[in-house]
Each structure stands twice: as structure tokens, then as C-alpha cells.
Amino acid sequence: MSVAYRIQDEPIGDRRGPPALDPFWLLLAMMFGGAWLGATGFAVNAWLLRGPTWGREIGIAIAVLLGAPVILFGLGLLRTGGLLPGSSLHYALLLIVAWKLGLAYWIYFLQQNSHALYEYFSGAADRGQVATIAAVLIVGGGYLKSRVVHAVDSPFWQIMVN
């Protein structure tokens, strides 16, 4: 009877298929391309890395998208209730940006360790392929951002994906 020793954070399975990106590139995609691209990229990367917190990372990515319209709805309720003066509404809308970027940084820090282990156990990934994917993701996302944001004529949609 043999017992195999396994490191808890060690990636499982074969590492063929699309390479996982350094979460830094996904953070840039969130900043330049919008939440639709960044949250999706973080969720896909979490699935590719399969670190110990990958389920939490996907949940946070979903919260990035769903929390923004909820915050907008809450600010609308405060505004109609007279608790939020019109002059402070522009400053209150910054709460949505803080929400998205705060959660994006949280996912970034969660994925950093998993990506370091991924690189260690998988060997150095093809840096040219990863750089090409990252560049296409960021530049393409910045190009498509206005089309995705204005695809649906709803303020909740626009706040969610922007």
C-alpha cells in the first residue's frame, strides 16, 4: 500500500490547452476594457488555474458585474428619498468604480499565488503566446468597450459592463 504525497496548492492534471494569464494583465483589461472583459477574464483564468480559491474568485467576478446595478439602484432610492442631494450624486457614483476596482484587486491578489505555482509546476509558459493573448485582450477590449456598453439601451446594463 502506497500513499502519494501531494502539496495542497499543487495544480492537478495536464496543463495542455490555453495558458493561464498573469492576473496583472486581467487587471489591466478590467481598467481599459471594462468590467465585462475583466470579470470574464478573471473567471476564465480562475478556472484555468484551479487554485485553492478558484470558486471564490469566480463568485467575486460575478459580484463585480451584479453589484454595480444594485449600487446604482440603491443610489436611485436614496436620491428619490431625498437622502442624497443632486450635487453629491456624481461623487456617489464613484462608489461603483470603487466597487469594481476593489473586487478586481481582490481577485488579482487571490490569483497571484495560484499563478506563481502554475508557472513553477508547469514550467515557463511560452511568453510570446501569453503576451499576444494579453495584448489582444487589452487592445481588443478597449476597442470593443463602447460597442458592448451601448449594445443595450439601459443604464443598468451600461453601469454593469462599463
Side-chain angles (χ1 to χ4, degrees):
M1 175 172 155
S2 70
V3 178
Y5 177 77
R6 186 172 102 61
I7 300 172
Q8 186 63 30
D9 293 340
E10 180 180 355
I12 300 171
D14 193 12
R15 288 294 176 190
R16 293 180 201 175
L21 295 177
D22 187 336
F24 171 75
W25 299 114
L26 300 171
L27 187 62
L28 284 179
M30 179 79 130
M31 292 176 183
F32 292 118
W36 69 277
L37 181 64
T40 305
F42 275 126
V44 169
N45 210 40
W47 184 78
L48 288 173
L49 287 172
R50 299 273 175 87
T53 60
W54 74 279
R56 182 184 308 161
E57 294 164 17
I58 292 174
I60 296 169
I62 293 169
V64 166
L65 295 174
L66 297 181
V70 169
I71 293 171
L72 181 66
F73 182 73
L75 291 176
L77 288 177
L78 290 174
R79 176 75 179 112
T80 57
L83 298 172
L84 186 66
S87 60
S88 64
L89 184 60
H90 294 295
Y91 295 110
L93 287 174
L94 290 176
L95 182 62
I96 296 171
V97 175
W99 170 262
K100 290 178 184 178
L101 288 180
L103 291 182
Y105 274 108
W106 187 12
I107 300 172
Y108 166 75
F109 286 118
L110 287 173
Q111 283 189 1
Q112 241 181 346
N113 292 335
S114 297
H115 187 265
L117 285 169
Y118 168 83
E119 281 191 333
Y120 179 77
F121 283 107
S122 300
D126 182 11
R127 303 251 185 239
Q129 182 183 15
V130 170
T132 303
I133 292 171
V136 166
L137 190 70
I138 294 168
V139 173
Y143 176 74
L144 292 174
K145 181 178 179 179
S146 64
R147 288 173 178 78
V148 172
V149 169
H150 298 296
V152 177
D153 191 28
S154 166
F156 289 105
W157 171 262
Q158 293 171 357
I159 290 292
M160 182 175 73
V161 299
N162 194 5

